[in-house]
Amino acid sequence: MSTDKKVCPECGHEFLGNDLQGNTWGGIDAHWRAHHENIMPYEDAWPLIKSGKYVSNDTLTVAGHTFNSRLIIGTGKYKDYAENAAALEASGADMVTVAVRRVNISKPDEPMLMDFIDPKKFTYLPNTAGCFTGEDAVRTLRLAKEAGGWNLVKLEVLSDPKHLYPDMEETLRAAELLIKDGFDVMVYCSDDPVFARKLEDMGCAAIMPLGAPIGSGLGIQNPVNIRLIVEQTKVPVIVDAGVGTASDATVAMELGCDGVLMNTAIAEAKDPIRMARAMKHAVIAGREAYLAGRMPRKKYADPSSPLAGLI
Amino acid sequence: MNLVINGEDHYDLPEPLTVQGLIAHLGLPEKKIAIERNREIVSKSTFETTILAEGDILEIIHFIGGG
């Protein structure tokens, strides 16, 4: 019986060669169907995996849910839901943040987000924007779950409207309440590695530090802190807020972040659909560059054409 | 019957009224909303059997665009 370790090419899960037929891939079928069936049906994936030809899609996994895209986009500030839906298609994102609000009961026929963005096709990530206490956040997300959301949620507890910085004391309290209530919490937080560690230790599903204030489009203001958070964190780190243009998203990914969440950079671009497409490429470019490993920085020039053999 | 819905008073609603009946009365899309009654969530499976009482405070929510 072969004893070499078999590893899921998509997520690194180890299969131990212990079944009676000597099948070292014991359980791959159930594992694949449970976690990666949305990437490729098991029947198609298995021959590739077995022959070592399977190439990972380098997916993003949060709390056991796998996403093809590392870009998450917001659904606020668009001209209308139709433009929002078109930008979403162009961005290639599988997950969108959504807000929970009262229905305008005097206008029951008003267009609804769900009419434009199919919650069966895209993952709704309900947020707690507008909540200032842990109790409000729990109440809002319980309602969101009933409205068709699920356990995966985005916690944001804001403070001063001028900078929209997260209130970290209340964020920690709210995260604890939500985790106790069974939610998988993706948490918007400051870029402070100490708070990030506390949130991870508490059991948050993803750490989402801001790159710059929400809606500011200033780019990654503190790459040193973002990198510190990336290095110390075992769950996904997703830069949430501050991206202004494609290169900002690339910078975030080059720092080793697992994903980027943005809203205004796309919604307030002159051509949101084109910017959505740019962001898709920017995130992929940054991720690929990070995985490829950049060349070392040097103080002096180093010619690309050999100096030997000159005429 | 009088109810408070999304922070506003609504008078003279028909009686008896279930949650299902109220949704139909208001013309809301049942599948796209969630309802809280006096701070308790009303599960969709009990819309038909939950009978509303005078003075109930209801919140009716849905998803809208957000970041």
Side-chain angles (χ1 to χ4, degrees):
Chain A
M1 189 193 292
S2 163
T3 53
D4 59 329
K5 238 188 284 176
K6 301 291 187 189
V7 176
C8 172
E10 199 51 68
C11 68
H13 178 83
E14 283 180 19
F15 298 92
L16 303 170
N18 57 359
D19 84 359
L20 293 172
Q21 284 75 39
N23 178 10
T24 50
W25 282 107
I28 174 77
D29 49 347
H31 168 83
W32 191 270
R33 288 196 174 101
H35 298 284
H36 312 306
E37 191 71 11
N38 62 332
I39 301 168
M40 189 188 281
Y42 175 71
E43 282 69 26
D44 298 337
W46 173 237
L48 297 171
I49 296 169
K50 204 172 155 192
S51 58
K53 285 181 187 149
Y54 183 86
V55 179
S56 166
N57 282 343
D58 186 35
T59 51
L60 169 66
T61 300
V62 184
H65 307 287
T66 303
F67 303 95
N68 284 319
S69 174
R70 293 178 175 273
L71 175 60
I72 304 168
I73 74 168
T75 54
K77 299 181 180 171
Y78 286 90
K79 188 179 73 193
D80 50 38
Y81 284 145
E83 184 182 69
N84 192 166
L88 175 57
E89 286 290 345
S91 76
D94 336 272
M95 195 168 7
V96 290
T97 56
V98 297
V100 176
R101 290 293 180 271
R102 285 171 166 170
V103 173
N104 182 353
I105 55 171
S106 59
K107 286 185 189 164
D109 298 329
E110 255 185 347
M112 283 190 169
L113 182 65
M114 279 189 183
D115 300 330
F116 292 85
I117 297 174
D118 184 355
K120 289 194 191 83
K121 204 170 153 205
F122 297 97
T123 297
Y124 274 35
L125 187 66
N127 71 24
T128 61
C131 295
F132 291 92
T133 67
E135 285 74 14
D136 284 349
V138 172
R139 184 182 177 202
T140 300
L141 293 176
R142 279 186 182 162
L143 273 166
K145 201 166 166 181
E146 192 59 31
W150 58 349
N151 276 346
L152 198 60
V153 295
K154 170 179 164 178
L155 172 64
E156 56 177 306
V157 186
L158 305 180
S159 55
D160 189 331
K162 196 169 174 182
H163 49 63
L164 294 178
Y165 236 67
D167 178 336
M168 289 310 296
E169 199 179 353
E170 202 55 35
T171 298
L172 283 163
R173 218 171 65 77
E176 197 166 10
L177 287 172
L178 287 167
I179 291 166
K180 262 190 204 150
D181 213 50
F183 287 101
D184 295 319
V185 180
M186 300 173 71
V187 58
Y188 169 66
C189 56
S190 61
D191 60 10
D192 178 339
V194 180
F195 276 127
R197 168 65 57 75
K198 286 186 183 179
L199 288 164
E200 185 187 6
D201 288 348
M202 195 180 274
C204 286
I207 306 297
M208 305 206 292
L210 51 79
I214 294 174
S216 70
L218 291 170
I220 313 301
Q221 292 293 298
N222 199 340
V224 175
N225 277 24
I226 298 290
R227 181 62 203 168
L228 282 172
I229 293 172
V230 166
E231 283 180 17
Q232 74 178 21
T233 308
K234 291 192 179 69
V235 296
V237 175
I238 295 166
V239 161
D240 178 2
V243 165
T245 187
S247 53
D248 299 333
T250 305
V251 167
M253 296 308 292
E254 283 174 348
L255 286 168
C257 291
D258 298 281
V260 181
L261 196 165
M262 64 180 75
N263 189 343
T264 317
I266 296 175
E268 288 189 358
K270 274 188 192 152
D271 181 345
I273 295 156
R274 193 160 204 161
M275 186 57 92
R277 195 158 62 232
M279 291 303 183
K280 170 185 171 176
H281 293 298
V283 168
I284 294 170
R287 177 66 180 173
E288 288 288 304
Y290 171 70
L291 293 176
R294 61 153 298 142
M295 62 165 280
R297 288 180 169 86
K298 297 172 195 166
K299 278 187 178 169
Y300 304 101
D302 181 6
S304 296
S305 310
L307 294 175
L310 282 169
I311 51 169
Chain B
M1 182 172 55
N2 306 320
L3 299 172
V4 180
I5 307 171
N6 288 352
E8 285 179 8
D9 293 317
H10 287 255
Y11 305 106
D12 301 326
L13 290 158
E15 258 180 294
L17 189 60
T18 61
V19 170
Q20 181 95 53
L22 178 69
I23 293 168
H25 179 80
L26 297 171
L28 297 174
E30 184 186 325
K31 284 186 180 154
K32 297 169 192 161
I33 58 169
I35 299 189
E36 190 187 66
R37 177 195 183 203
N38 302 327
R39 292 245 165 185
E40 296 273 333
I41 286 181
V42 184
S43 127
K44 281 196 172 110
S45 58
T46 63
F47 278 4
E48 261 180 274
T49 52
T50 305
I51 296 162
L52 296 167
E54 176 70 28
D56 273 354
I57 298 170
L58 301 172
E59 291 289 342
I60 305 178
I61 64 91
H62 67 149
F63 291 124
I64 65 154

